[in-house]
Amino acid sequence: MRPDIRFLLGDEERSLRNIDPQMTVLDYLRLEERKSGTKEGCAEGDCGACTVIIGEPNGDEGMAYRTVNACIQFVPTLDGKQLLTVEHLKSKDGSLHPVQQAMVETHGSQCGFCTPGFVMSLYQLWLDGGEEDRGAINDALAGNLCRCTGYGPIIEAARNAGGVAANDTAEQKRRTDLAIRLTNMVKDGGTLAVEHAAGRYYAPRTSDEL
Ligand code: FES
Ligand code: FES
């Protein structure tokens, strides 16, 4: 029997059955996977502390990536996609990703609570090729709030981090291979994912509906 949903957590395949369709990606990461890098701040989509990246096959480009707030994203929506968290950025040899290194060098973190979320938004910029324009950086970081560092050093980190080159053949191959893997993984459609796609599942609004 086909599992409810299948997705990649980083590079590792996950097949879930009988999950609570209202479980958020944030709760899944912290409570089920015990990955605590993704933080819970507001738990209602305002602060960006829970920012993660979702990648999905996108025709010619191979993969399309976008940041989402894990606190308001339900786990069934991950079917056929790749979920990336701050834990996936560090290299196997322990070295920091360029966006993390840039945050260190600009002193872009004080208490650190917002930092994983900012790092994931910076990583999205990096995946998109990097950005130096202040307005575009502001837009990319608009969903992330910091209460203590201030935004100047983080914006400087965004400028300094650079990005993957559009003509990087190794990266292009990686994205194409990943898209094929994801597409093959979910050819027949998972139960909960189909319910969501068809609009047959909705979140209860009152406790009486639970
Ligand atoms: Fe604040 Fe998710 S915890 S946006
Ligand atoms: Fe403390 Fe941003 S470093 S909230």
Side-chain angles (χ1 to χ4, degrees), residues 103 108-115 118 145-151 154:
M103 283 285 273
S109 178
Q110 285 189 42
C111 80
F113 197 82
C114 69
T115 306
F118 270 102
L145 303 181
C146 176
R147 297 299 298 272
C148 47
T149 301
Y151 297 94
I154 301 171

Side-chain angles (χ1 to χ4, degrees), residues 26 39-50 69-72:
L26 180 62
K39 306 302 182 201
E40 179 177 301
C42 64
E44 55 185 23
D46 288 331
C47 74
C50 65
N69 290 326
C71 67
I72 52 171

Side-chain angles (χ1 to χ4, degrees), residues 37-90:
T38 308
K39 306 302 182 201
E40 179 177 301
C42 64
E44 55 185 23
D46 288 331
C47 74
C50 65
T51 304
V52 295
I53 288 181
I54 291 181
E56 57 188 310
N58 184 33
D60 292 344
E61 290 177 33
M63 293 288 293
Y65 292 100
R66 64 193 161 93
T67 52
V68 302
N69 290 326
C71 67
I72 52 171
Q73 187 86 18
F74 291 130
V75 172
T77 63
L78 296 177
D79 195 55
K81 298 175 183 150
Q82 183 187 37
L83 174 61
L84 296 169
T85 72
V86 72
E87 284 93 347
H88 298 119
L89 265 60
K90 200 159 73 171

